[in-house]
C-alpha cells in the first residue's frame, strides 16, 4: 500500500512534527521535537521516514493539516503497521456449508484466534490450491481454538458456484470454513491489501489473537501461494508466548522445541544448549 510523500507545510526550522495516517487505521499518531537543522536539510528527509508514534484521537485529514499549518511545522504522512493494532472489524456476507451467512469479525473476540486470508479472485489458478489446503488442514487449526476465514472481492453467488464445482475441474468442493464476499472492497482496503487499479486483493494473511489484535501478517504477490505449515507454526508460536510471556520463540520454533529467555543471561543459556 502506498504512503503519501512527505509534504512541507512551513519553513520554520525550529519545530518538526509529523502525522502518521493510514486508511485502515482509526487514529492518527504524532510526535514533535526541536531540530537545529536548516529547512533545506529537513526537507531532504528520506521518503521512507516514519518516525516514532504515539496515538491521538481520530481527526479528519483536513483538520490535521490545518492544525499543523497553524503551528507552523513540517508534516510527514506515513502508513501505520497493522501488526500490534486491533484488527479492523467488519460484517459481511459469506458462504458456508453451501448456505449464505453473515460473518462479523468482532464476534470471535474473547472466543477464538482467527486466520484471515485474502485471495484475488474465484475461478483462478493458485487460489484454489490455497483455499483447499486450509480446508484439508482445518482440524489442526480447530484443535488450537482457531477459525479460518477466506476473503475475496467476489460475490457470494460466485463463491457458491465455485464451491459447487468439483476440485478436479478447478473448483473447491465443500469447505470447512466460510468464504467471505468483499464485493465493496472495503475489507481489503481496510487491511491494506487492495490493488486499487486492479480492484482485487493481494494474498494477505493475518493472524488475529483472541483479544482481536493482529499479531502476524504476510502479503504475497499474486503469483505466489502461501504455506499452511508456516501459518500453523506461527500461530502455535504466538499461542505459546502468550501463555508463557517470559519466553520467546527463536527462528523456526515448533511445539516441544527449546525456547529462549529474552534477557542476556537467559539467551546465553539457549545458545549454549543448541
Amino acid at each position: 500500500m502506498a504512503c503519501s510523500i512527505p509534504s512541507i507545510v512551513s519553513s520554520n526550522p525550529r519545530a518538526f512534527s509529523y502525522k502518521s495516517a493510514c486508511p485502515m487505521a482509526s487514529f492518527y499518531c504524532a510526535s514533535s521535537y526541536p531540530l537545529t537543522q536548516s529547512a533545506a536539510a529537513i526537507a531532504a528527509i528520506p521518503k521512507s521516514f516514519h518516525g516514532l508514534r504515539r496515538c491521538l484521537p481520530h481527526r479528519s485529514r483536513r483538520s490535521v493539516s490545518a492544525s499543523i499549518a497553524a503551528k507552523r511545522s513540517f508534516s510527514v504522512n506515513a502508513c501505520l503497521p497493522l501488526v500490534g493494532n486491533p484488527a479492523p472489524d467488519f460484517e459481511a456476507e459469506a458462504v458456508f456449508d453451501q448456505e449464505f451467512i453473515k460473518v462479523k469479525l468482532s464476534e470471535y473476540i474473547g472466543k477464538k484466534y482467527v486466520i484471515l486470508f485474502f485471495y484475488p479472485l474465484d475461478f483462478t489458478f493458485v487460489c484454489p490450491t490455497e483455499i483447499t489446503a486450509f480446508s484439508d488442514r482445518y482440524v489442526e487449526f480447530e484443535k488450537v481454538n482457531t477459525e479460518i476465514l477466506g476473503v475475496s472481492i467476489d460475490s457470494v453467488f460466485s463463491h457458491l458456484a465455485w464451491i459447487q464445482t468439483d476440485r478436479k475441474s478447478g473448483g473447491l468442493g465443500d469447505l470447512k470454513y466460510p468464504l467471505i464476499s468483499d464485493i465493496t472492497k472495503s475489507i481489503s482496503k481496510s487491511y491494506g491489501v487492495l490493488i486499487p487499479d486492479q480492484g482485487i486483493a493481494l494474498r494477505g494473511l493475518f493472524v488475529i489473537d483472541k483479544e482481536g489484535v493482529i499479531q502476524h501478517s504476510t502479503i504475497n504477490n499474486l503469483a505466489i501461494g502461501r504455506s499452511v505449515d508456516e501459518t500453523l507454526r506461527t500461530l502455535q508460536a504466538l499461542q505459546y508466548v502468550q501463555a508463557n510471556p517470559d519466553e520467546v520463540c527463536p527462528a523456526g520454533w515448533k511445539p516441544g522445541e527449546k525456547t529462549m529467555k529474552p534477557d542476556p543471561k537467559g539467551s546465553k543459556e539457549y545458545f549454549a544448549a543448541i
Side-chain angles (χ1 to χ4, degrees):
M1 183 179 60
C3 300
S4 58
I5 297 174
S7 57
I8 298 177
V9 180
S10 168
S11 59
N12 180 4
R14 292 176 297 175
F16 175 82
S17 70
Y18 68 89
K19 300 291 179 181
S20 180
C22 205
M24 66 277 193
S26 60
F27 53 88
Y28 288 86
C29 295
S31 176
S32 62
Y33 52 88
L35 288 180
T36 58
Q37 293 94 328
S38 66
I42 296 173
I45 291 173
K47 295 178 181 180
S48 60
F49 175 79
H50 291 270
L52 302 174
R53 307 187 313 277
R54 59 184 176 87
C55 296
L56 292 179
H58 175 78
R59 292 182 287 174
S60 69
R61 199 162 200 164
R62 177 173 295 179
S63 66
V64 170
S65 297
S67 174
I68 296 173
K71 294 179 180 179
R72 299 182 61 78
S73 60
F74 290 92
S75 174
V76 175
N77 292 326
C79 291
L80 289 170
L82 284 176
V83 172
N85 288 307
D89 194 18
F90 61 82
E91 183 174 2
E93 280 193 297
V95 177
F96 179 62
D97 199 21
Q98 301 203 25
E99 294 185 359
F100 298 149
I101 65 170
K102 286 282 188 181
V103 171
K104 187 173 184 179
L105 182 64
S106 56
E107 291 182 350
Y108 295 99
I109 293 179
K111 301 174 184 176
K112 289 187 175 184
Y113 289 79
V114 174
I115 302 296
L116 177 69
F117 75 93
F118 295 81
Y119 65 93
L121 285 168
D122 290 351
F123 293 97
T124 50
F125 315 108
V126 176
C127 298
T129 66
E130 296 183 310
I131 295 167
T132 56
F134 275 108
S135 183
D136 292 344
R137 303 280 295 278
Y138 182 82
V139 173
E140 295 176 63
F141 289 91
E142 189 177 38
K143 287 179 179 178
V144 289
N145 193 32
T146 301
E147 183 57 85
I148 299 173
L149 301 173
V151 186
S152 82
I153 55 88
D154 302 277
S155 71
V156 288
F157 304 103
S158 178
H159 285 345
L160 180 61
W162 204 19
I163 288 171
Q164 291 177 338
T165 302
D166 186 79
R167 289 191 183 187
K168 292 184 178 180
S169 299
L172 301 177
D174 288 329
L175 297 178
K176 296 180 180 178
Y177 59 86
L179 281 189
I180 295 169
S181 169
D182 182 25
I183 199 165
T184 66
K185 304 177 176 62
S186 60
I187 307 173
S188 301
K189 185 177 181 180
S190 68
Y191 280 82
V193 297
L194 182 68
I195 308 173
D197 59 347
Q198 296 186 45
I200 59 177
L202 292 164
R203 299 187 189 279
L205 184 146
F206 301 86
V207 179
I208 305 169
D209 69 15
K210 288 199 298 183
E211 303 306 314
V213 175
I214 297 175
Q215 297 290 348
H216 167 82
S217 72
T218 182
I219 300 176
N220 289 5
N221 213 338
L222 303 179
I224 308 166
R226 289 157 289 194
S227 168
V228 177
D229 286 333
E230 178 58 18
T231 301
L232 181 59
R233 189 203 70 80
T234 300
L235 171 67
Q236 291 169 329
L238 164 63
Q239 292 182 340
Y240 184 90
V241 297
Q242 287 192 331
N244 302 273
D246 61 336
E247 300 177 46
V248 292
C249 294
W253 180 90
K254 294 180 180 179
E257 295 181 352
K258 188 173 179 60
T259 57
M260 180 190 298
K261 297 288 184 180
D263 60 70
K265 182 180 178 181
S267 62
K268 287 180 180 179
E269 291 176 357
Y270 169 81
F271 291 119
I274 61 174

